[in-house]
Amino acid sequence: MHDSLGITTVEDVDLAAVDVPAAGSQTSKQVAGAPAAPIDRLVLAAARAQAGELSRLAAESTTALAAALASRGAGADEAVVQLAARCVPRWHFAMLNDTERNDALAVAVERLVRPGMHVLDIGAGTGLLAMMAARAGAGRVTSCEANPLLAEIARQLVAANGMSDVVDVVAGRSTDLMVGRELARPADLIVSEIVDCGLVGEGLLPTIRHARHGLLTPGGQVMPQAARLFGFLIESPVIIGLNRVTQASGFDVRLLNATSTSGHFPVRLSTWPHRELTPAVDLAAFDLATGHLGDGSVVVRMPVTHDGTAQALVVWFELDLGAGITIRNSPDNLQSHWMQALVPLPADRPVTADTTVELRLTWHGERLYAG
Ligand SMILES: C[S@@+](CC[C@H](N)C(=O)[O-])C[C@H]1O[C@@H](n2cnc3c(N)ncnc32)[C@H](O)[C@@H]1O
């Protein structure tokens, strides 16, 4: 199918007829007749689901582009709005309405920026930190944003706030920036808030490691400066049921568990029934200013206070922004837009009060794992 602009969409492709490379030079067509293993059929179906999503995006982008090129009737505006809504994660709204977060960032930026500094803002979003830095007296702010739509929104907001002469918004990932190209000179201060409920989920560690070495002047500072993870073990069949199934109406539906999340995902702990089996313990610490910031793991010893079945580790962070300012998403902080990170254990683990349980917490890529 071709749309009115003559663009071929993914829907044009008959996925059932696509050759999937098999071992050697064979393709799935060449081995047709041999029944595909259930796992292969899951992989193929997952690829189809992904292709379907891309196809929908392509179709919506095409409609929005056509609308932009045409006379912009009411229907055209709606197409553009729908596309924009899909391109920006919904949590940006809750995040910008989190006054505790915003106030902490504003005070830290105010205290860290010196007049005339060159500040690099990683992850502009709406340009909030960049504008805070300009307001605090920075001479130049380079602000980068991986999402092109957000970058454009940030650029227009910066202009609307009369800061375009100081703040330069670049659409792109920080890891693609170069001194002498997007940055006239290395930054004196790097500010960022690229933190999810489990700290690492937006790529904080590799992003800061790269920026520190490639984009920061020797002796320059980073904000946040350090982070710590805390957590306790819980028993909660209801929370585990957010990510694991057994039967429904008498039918075995466990195959769906092939799509379960093995790493962390957000949960507002206070809204779900659960039993805490250990006290909160220190899990890990990260020195963002000088630490290694690679993937890693720690073995933690947790004193068990109640008999039960440990099913998940609930994790939260404390972020040291520098200049004496910290923010955290602990379970008792109901104001924070960040929920807690639920890290499922690979299997239920019976635990007994007055013993100690050993657990390995791993941070790999953008996920936390416990085992
Ligand atoms: C949590 S939001 C924060 C936005 C804004 N700084 C604020 O505090 O309101 C993080 C933003 O950073 C962007 N981002 C994450 N990693 C990035 C990177 N390495 N380079 C550029 N943008 C990044 C995401 O697309 C997202 O819009």
Side-chain angles (χ1 to χ4, degrees):
M1 180 183 73
H2 290 271
D3 54 70
S4 57
L5 295 177
I7 295 172
T8 305
T9 71
V10 181
E11 277 166 327
D12 296 343
V13 181
D14 176 6
L15 289 168
V18 169
D19 282 349
V20 178
S25 61
Q26 282 193 323
T27 67
S28 62
K29 263 189 174 171
Q30 287 166 315
V31 293
I39 184 68
D40 293 336
R41 295 209 302 273
L42 285 183
V43 170
L44 188 58
R48 282 203 183 115
Q50 187 77 0
E53 179 62 14
L54 288 174
S55 180
R56 270 190 296 280
L57 273 176
E60 285 179 24
S61 307
T62 306
T63 309
L65 181 58
L69 297 175
S71 59
R72 306 292 313 274
D77 282 346
E78 181 55 25
V80 173
V81 166
Q82 286 203 11
L83 181 64
R86 287 191 61 166
C87 291
V88 173
R90 300 298 81 192
W91 49 256
H92 273 274
F93 293 88
M95 176 187 73
L96 280 175
N97 282 320
D98 184 341
T99 48
E100 180 189 48
R101 179 199 86 111
N102 298 346
D103 291 350
L105 290 167
V107 174
V109 167
E110 197 70 39
R111 290 183 187 169
L112 292 171
V113 170
R114 297 277 167 271
M117 264 187 172
H118 178 203
V119 177
L120 170 62
D121 167 31
I122 297 181
T126 51
L128 187 67
L129 295 187
M131 292 191 280
M132 286 174 179
R135 183 172 62 189
R140 169 121 315 264
V141 183
T142 307
S143 180
C144 65
E145 171 52 56
N147 179 323
L149 175 54
L150 277 172
E152 183 53 33
I153 288 171
R155 199 173 287 120
Q156 293 191 22
L157 286 175
V158 165
N161 283 285
M163 291 177 163
S164 297
D165 52 336
V166 178
V167 179
D168 183 26
V169 179
V170 179
R173 293 200 74 79
S174 59
T175 43
D176 294 328
L177 301 184
M178 275 178 62
V179 172
R181 205 174 55 189
E182 291 83 6
L183 281 79
R185 60 185 174 85
D188 305 302
L189 170 68
I190 294 176
V191 297
S192 69
E193 192 280 80
I194 43 173
V195 169
D196 82 327
C197 62
L199 184 74
V200 299
E202 281 202 62
L204 172 76
L205 303 182
T207 299
I208 297 296
R209 187 179 62 217
H210 167 270
R212 243 176 29 196
H213 293 293
L215 307 173
L216 186 65
T217 200
Q221 280 187 287
V222 293
M223 183 214 82
Q225 297 183 344
R228 293 164 73 193
L229 290 178
F230 302 90
F232 49 58
L233 283 171
I234 60 159
E235 173 181 305
S236 174
V238 183
I239 295 181
I240 287 306
L242 299 175
N243 190 47
R244 193 194 294 169
V245 292
T246 48
Q247 62 82 36
S249 290
F251 298 106
D252 180 346
V253 289
R254 283 175 298 174
L255 187 55
L256 185 65
N257 293 336
T259 68
S260 293
T261 303
S262 58
H264 77 273
F265 59 90
V267 162
R268 179 74 67 187
L269 188 66
S270 61
T271 62
W272 299 102
H274 65 277
R275 290 180 63 232
E276 294 165 24
L277 303 176
T278 70
V281 301
D282 266 273
L283 297 172
F286 302 90
D287 179 345
L288 300 172
T290 60
H292 160 60
L293 305 188
D295 289 344
S297 71
V298 283
V299 175
V300 223
R301 291 172 62 79
M302 309 182 82
V304 179
T305 47
H306 297 88
D307 292 348
T309 302
Q311 296 181 300
L313 185 65
V314 176
V315 177
W316 61 94
F317 63 76
E318 183 180 274
L319 209 53
D320 176 357
L321 298 177
I325 310 289
T326 55
I327 42 177
R328 61 190 65 79
N329 63 332
S330 45
D332 62 347
N333 186 354
L334 303 181
Q335 309 305 320
S336 174
H337 81 286
W338 282 294
M339 302 185 204
Q340 290 71 53
L342 196 285
V343 194
L345 301 191
D348 287 357
R349 198 155 150 181
V351 294
T352 310
D354 301 323
T355 62
T356 302
V357 72
E358 262 192 11
L359 197 80
R360 180 174 289 277
L361 175 72
T362 301
W363 49 99
H364 179 77
E366 301 191 349
R367 284 283 160 267
L368 298 174
Y369 302 91

